[in-house]
DNA sequence: GACTAAAATGGATTATAATGGATTAATATG
DNA sequence: CATATTAATCCATTATAATCCATTTTAGTC
């Protein structure tokens, strides 16, 4: 069964909460019992991952205290992940509260329409305009990459087909 | 599960005290029973760590007396950590008093709004403007890094995906 | 060493925001 | 077209943060 796929358009309520579709809620409850981690991405969207997925992302850090004492780069990395992540849970009505600082960061205002996008390991919440731009960016990149691949295929050498 | 995450905006009272959110208080009481160490960072913010985390940061310094006798660099390091750190405790209403010298250093004035930021091993108290700048700095770095990664992905060679 | 003033501490109150449930509206399905 | 399902709104309740006030402690002065 495919998890965390597709796109939903839905609205953020007056209190900054989002009602997730039954499909998405089922994906989360199946994976982590509704315990999720919200995380602000540099792309300008809010990712929501099952807790175990997020822990896997952060498992690498050993002896964090000793490193933090001596390295500003390391402190900044801890600060980014700490400040930009927050554990949340999905309510029994399928709602999640988006922390205010995250909403501002992602331009997701109470009362506005957003896109809920599946990313296979979780979902992302996008401001509508930003999502349209992101689609363009993804497509432009894929097209450019394809063009280059075609050009390279014209050159002599060991070809794939 | 996840400790010391997210961002809170809150205000410093007339006496230079800060009320921490119940979540943060729970993180501290779980780790160290409310015994914390405040520490001024070169970044211009006040860090608050559980006592054991701070001890872990400083445990690496072996034979300090012998080193201090011969090294100005070492004396200065000891002096910095000594002068810029102070043990405090969280009251049963979840309040902490910020030492006056630390408040001045971090531009955290009585009556002002600050950001309480989770950094995974503890929290940091930021002056509002400085925090906005720090976010910009972190994002600018992440964005630049992402751009370079995207550019590299266009080049021929063994790609990740 | 005692008294006074200032500051710091702890607790209680009030105002604001967040939460959960229920109702209504909209959409999709048969 | 009727029904079922889902989304959105509204409202009551709870929880939280900020302010205020009383008490205690500390420092300074006589």
């Amino acid at each position: 069964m495919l998890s965390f796929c597709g796109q939903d358009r839905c609205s953020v309520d007056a209190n900054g909460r989002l009602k997730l579709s039954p499909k998405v809620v089922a994906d989360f409850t199946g994976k982590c019992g509704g315990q999720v981690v919200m995380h602000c991405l540099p792309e300008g969207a809010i990712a929501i991952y099952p807790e175990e997925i997020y822990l896997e992302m952060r498992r690498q850090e050993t002896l964090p205290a000793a490193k933090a004492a001596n390295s500003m780069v390391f402190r900044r990395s801890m600060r980014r992940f700490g400040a930009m992540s927050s554990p949340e849970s999905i309510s029994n009505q399928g709602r999640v509260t988006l922390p205010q600082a995250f909403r501002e960061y992602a331009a997701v205002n109470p009362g506005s329409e957003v896109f809920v996008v599946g990313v296979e390991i979780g979902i992302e919440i996008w401001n509508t305009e930003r999502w349209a731009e992101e689609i363009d960016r993804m497509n432009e990149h894929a097209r450019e990459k394809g063009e280059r691949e075609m050009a390279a295929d014209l050159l002599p050498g060991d070809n794939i087909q």
Side-chain angles (χ1 to χ4, degrees), chain A:
Chain A
M1 195 58 197
L2 283 184
S3 298
F4 302 122
C5 285
Q7 303 170 34
D8 285 324
R9 195 193 180 90
C10 57
S11 66
V12 180
D13 78 4
N15 300 321
R17 294 179 296 185
L18 196 62
K19 162 119 179 56
L20 301 172
S21 72
K23 169 80 167 65
V24 170
V25 172
D27 288 344
F28 276 119
T29 49
K31 280 248 174 0
C32 55
Q35 293 300 307
V36 300
V37 176
M38 296 206 179
H39 177 66
C40 286
L41 299 169
E43 292 93 313
I46 303 170
I48 307 180
Y49 303 117
E51 194 177 50
E52 65 196 43
I53 292 284
Y54 183 79
L55 291 175
E56 203 176 315
M57 289 178 170
R58 296 297 295 155
R59 198 178 329 189
Q60 53 203 340
E61 304 302 353
T62 56
L63 293 175
K67 286 186 204 161
N70 298 306
S71 163
M72 190 182 282
V73 168
F74 187 79
R75 279 199 298 276
R76 214 155 244 155
S77 166
M78 299 278 281
R79 188 176 299 134
R80 223 194 80 71
F81 280 98
M84 297 306 196
S85 304
S86 176
E88 302 285 335
S89 59
I90 300 174
S91 80
N92 51 11
Q93 282 199 23
R95 290 190 289 204
V96 284
T97 300
L98 305 167
Q100 185 174 338
F102 291 15
R103 292 199 309 256
E104 286 166 14
Y105 177 85
V108 167
N109 305 308
S112 71
E113 293 264 297
V114 296
F115 270 89
V116 177
V117 179
V119 295
E120 298 192 332
I121 56 170
I123 60 171
E124 288 173 6
I125 313 300
W126 283 83
N127 167 287
T128 305
E129 291 83 41
R130 286 191 190 174
W131 176 236
E133 290 163 17
E134 178 64 15
I135 290 179
D136 289 346
R137 222 174 285 123
M138 290 190 297
N139 284 337
E140 183 52 37
H141 183 81
R143 191 178 311 116
E144 174 69 19
K145 196 172 173 177
E147 292 297 332
R148 292 190 184 216
E149 189 191 359
M150 291 293 282
D153 185 56
L154 290 177
L155 301 174
D158 41 12
N159 287 320
I160 305 161
Q161 60 259 38

